[in-house]
């Protein structure tokens, strides 16, 4: 199915007609998803298509040439992209999160904002944070990174290894989570251009799902960056440098990737049941009440996801609730695909059918920050704190 042709407004900040373009993108990405999964190859052509569609700077500030789209609009785009190919959507989500929060990050010099956003619009440049390390794991659970930024007269010298670096081979910009070499170290992100000397990408990514994401190891060996590329280093334990709204954006857009996989699995299942006609039945499986009930159960879970994501995108949930939305939507999505597998037996498990791939991909939703144990513990603590506050208020 050919991609829809978008009429590009001469004004840089004109939003494309998403209803016209997104179905074509979904179909085009879905057509090559299985191949990229088998080969663990990065879907470069997908990002060429997103650039041509004017969608790589969707959430960037309007004053910098972006479209400054709101969260519901970003959700619509990510869902459509993920329904076609989820690794593409994951890299795109990282791009959208950085672009949407760049104005709220005081540590970003103006010329770097202009350069990062300008290159995204002009060249399709991609950006992502490199945070996870072999010993540290995810920084969300605390601990100092082993990656060190050493201050020198000519600039910062960065050394260290990052793992699970999503989009590594296609990124133009890395935001490297590191600590300074001060006696009392500062921790934060250093902006590093991917073609800087001293960077080595080791192609280590060979995972169960999201195999096209190129989430390889990236090694920094005394990499030199300018002094003003230390974006927002802060003392250990300081509040995060990004706006409070970042939590909702991250939760909604990350969960949307896996909700989309569940919807793709549901569509595959409905088509399978409608066309599968066992000889002993003489009719399609879709005529049996057992299968009708099962699909109704699946649609109920997806309806719940719709409501949760829409409410969070409209800003109707707080920080703790945003984490719960991510947790619930992800678990519902996994449940949908598992129910589909249970109904289909061997056909659902063969690599000749898309359902098997959707199952592997949807399981990756659990590894993203915030993870379920953190979300649920935070929600429990908030409940007990509210209870104590209520008791205290009644006693006064």
């Amino acid at each position: 199915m050919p991609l829809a042709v978008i009429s590009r407004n001469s004004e840089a900040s004109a939003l494309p007609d998403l209803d016209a373009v997104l179905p074509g993108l979904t179909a085009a990405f879905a057509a090559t998803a299985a191949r990229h999964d088998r080969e663990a190859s990065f879907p470069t052509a997908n990002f060429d298509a997103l650039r041509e569609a004017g969608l790589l700077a969707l959430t960037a500030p309007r004053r910098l040439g972006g479209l400054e789209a709101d969260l519901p609009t970003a959700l619509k785009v990510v869902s459509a992209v993920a329904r076609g190919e989820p690794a593409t959507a994951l890299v795109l989500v990282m791009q959208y999160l950085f672009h949407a929060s760049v104005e709220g990050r005081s540590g970003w010099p103006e010329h770097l904002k202009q350069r990062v956003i300008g290159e995204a619009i002009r060249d399709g440049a991609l950006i992502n944070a490199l945070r996870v390390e072999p010993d540290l794991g995810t920084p969300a659970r605390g601990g100092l990174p082993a990656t060190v930024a050493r201050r020198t007269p000519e600039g910062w010298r960065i050394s260290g290894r990052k793992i699970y670096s999503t989009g590594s081979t296609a990124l133009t910009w890395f935001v490297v989570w590191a600590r300074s070499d001060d006696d009392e170290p500062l921790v934060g992100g250093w902006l590093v251009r991917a073609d800087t000397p001293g960077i080595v990408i080791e192609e280590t990514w060979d995972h169960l799902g999201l195999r096209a994401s190129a989430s390889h190891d990236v090694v920094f060996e005394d990499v030199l960056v300018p002094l003003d590329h230390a974006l927002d280093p802060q003392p250990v334990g300081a509040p995060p440098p990004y706006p409070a709204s970042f939590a909702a954006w991250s939760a909604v857009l990350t969960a949307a990737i896996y909700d989309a996989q569940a919807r793709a699995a549901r569509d595959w299942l409905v088509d399978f049941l409608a066309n599968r006609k066992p000889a002993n039945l003489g009719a399609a499986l879709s005529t049996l009440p057992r299968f009708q009930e099962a699909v109704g159960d699946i649609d109920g879970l997806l309806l719940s996801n719709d409501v949760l994501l829409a409410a969070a995108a409209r800003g109707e949930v707080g920080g703790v609730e945003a984490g719960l939305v991510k947790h619930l939507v992800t678990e519902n999505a996994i449940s949908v695909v598992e129910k589909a597998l249970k109904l289909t037996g061997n056909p659902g498990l063969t690599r000749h059918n898309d359902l098997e791939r959707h199952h592997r991909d949807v399981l990756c939703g659990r590894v993203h920050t915030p993870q379920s144990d953190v979300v649920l513990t935070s929600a429990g603590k908030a409940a007990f704190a509210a209870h104590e506050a209520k008791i205290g208020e009644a006693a006064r």
Side-chain angles (χ1 to χ4, degrees):
M1 179 177 179
L3 297 181
V5 177
I6 301 176
S7 176
R8 298 301 301 277
N9 192 301
S10 59
E11 185 181 345
S13 57
L15 183 70
D17 183 350
L18 298 180
D19 291 333
V21 70
L22 290 180
L25 291 174
T26 301
F29 297 171
T32 58
R35 173 172 61 83
H36 287 300
D37 174 78
R38 284 193 304 271
E39 299 172 354
S41 57
F42 190 80
T44 303
N46 293 359
F47 288 91
D48 292 338
L50 289 166
R51 179 176 57 82
E52 286 296 316
L55 294 175
L56 287 184
L58 180 75
T59 65
R62 192 177 298 275
R63 72 174 187 84
L64 297 176
L67 300 174
E68 204 167 319
D70 58 12
L71 182 50
T73 302
L75 170 61
K76 183 174 184 176
V77 173
V78 168
S79 295
V81 171
R83 203 152 179 169
E85 204 290 300
T88 303
L90 181 59
V91 175
L92 189 64
V93 164
M94 301 301 109
Q95 177 100 332
Y96 284 176
L97 291 176
F98 270 97
H99 286 183
S101 64
V102 70
E103 290 286 54
R105 294 178 182 242
S106 58
W108 284 67
E110 178 64 20
H111 74 96
L112 290 182
K113 294 179 183 180
Q114 293 180 0
R115 185 178 181 188
V116 168
I117 303 302
E119 289 184 357
I121 296 168
R122 184 180 65 252
D123 306 322
L126 301 173
I127 186 169
N128 194 9
L130 276 56
R131 294 173 61 86
V132 185
E133 295 181 350
D135 294 328
L136 176 68
T138 172
R141 294 183 180 270
L144 282 174
T147 301
V148 174
R150 182 168 51 86
R151 200 189 313 260
T152 69
E154 67 270 23
W156 295 97
R157 292 279 182 178
I158 299 176
S159 298
R161 174 184 290 268
K162 296 297 181 180
I163 61 176
Y164 305 148
S165 305
T166 298
S168 60
T169 56
L171 299 176
T172 301
W173 295 101
F174 303 137
V175 179
V176 182
W177 183 254
R179 59 183 171 92
S180 70
D181 62 342
D182 300 307
D183 292 337
E184 295 185 6
L186 301 175
V187 178
W190 273 257
L191 185 65
V192 182
R193 194 171 172 86
D195 58 3
T196 306
I199 298 174
V200 177
I201 296 177
E202 298 181 0
E203 296 192 358
T204 54
W205 182 248
D206 188 18
H207 268 45
L208 181 75
L210 292 182
R211 291 177 49 75
S213 66
S215 300
H216 302 303
D217 288 14
V218 181
V219 181
F220 298 85
E221 300 173 348
D222 212 29
V223 174
L224 177 65
V225 299
L227 289 172
D228 66 356
H229 281 46
L231 299 178
D232 42 34
Q234 300 180 76
V236 176
Y242 41 78
S245 60
F246 185 86
W249 276 72
S250 179
V252 167
L253 297 184
T254 302
I257 299 170
Y258 302 101
D259 173 70
Q261 288 304 286
R263 292 176 190 279
R266 179 263 186 204
D267 289 349
W268 183 92
L269 173 66
V270 168
D271 182 72
F272 174 81
L273 295 176
N275 289 285
R276 177 72 169 167
K277 298 178 180 178
N280 64 331
L281 180 62
L285 291 176
S286 60
T287 63
L288 296 178
R290 179 169 77 90
F291 291 103
Q292 295 165 357
E293 179 184 9
V295 171
D297 183 24
I298 284 171
D299 281 356
L301 290 170
L302 294 175
L303 176 61
S304 296
N305 281 3
D306 258 343
V307 173
L308 289 168
L309 289 171
R314 292 191 300 265
E316 296 173 4
V317 301
V320 171
E321 292 171 331
L324 284 172
V325 168
K326 185 265 179 183
H327 164 72
L328 291 169
V329 169
T330 300
E331 291 303 317
N332 283 350
I334 292 170
S335 181
V336 163
V337 184
E338 289 178 341
K339 287 175 184 290
L341 284 172
K342 186 176 180 180
L343 290 170
T344 55
N346 274 330
L349 292 172
T350 177
R351 298 194 71 178
H352 295 292
N353 291 326
D354 291 342
L355 186 59
E356 181 269 346
R357 172 167 49 86
H358 295 323
H359 183 226
R360 288 186 287 105
D361 286 337
V362 80
L363 291 175
C364 295
R366 287 176 171 153
V367 307
H368 294 294
T369 302
Q371 292 163 344
S372 293
D373 64 317
V374 174
V375 168
L376 297 176
T377 300
S378 296
K381 287 180 178 179
F384 289 121
H387 175 72
E388 290 298 321
K390 184 177 179 180
I391 296 298
E393 182 68 27
R396 283 197 292 270

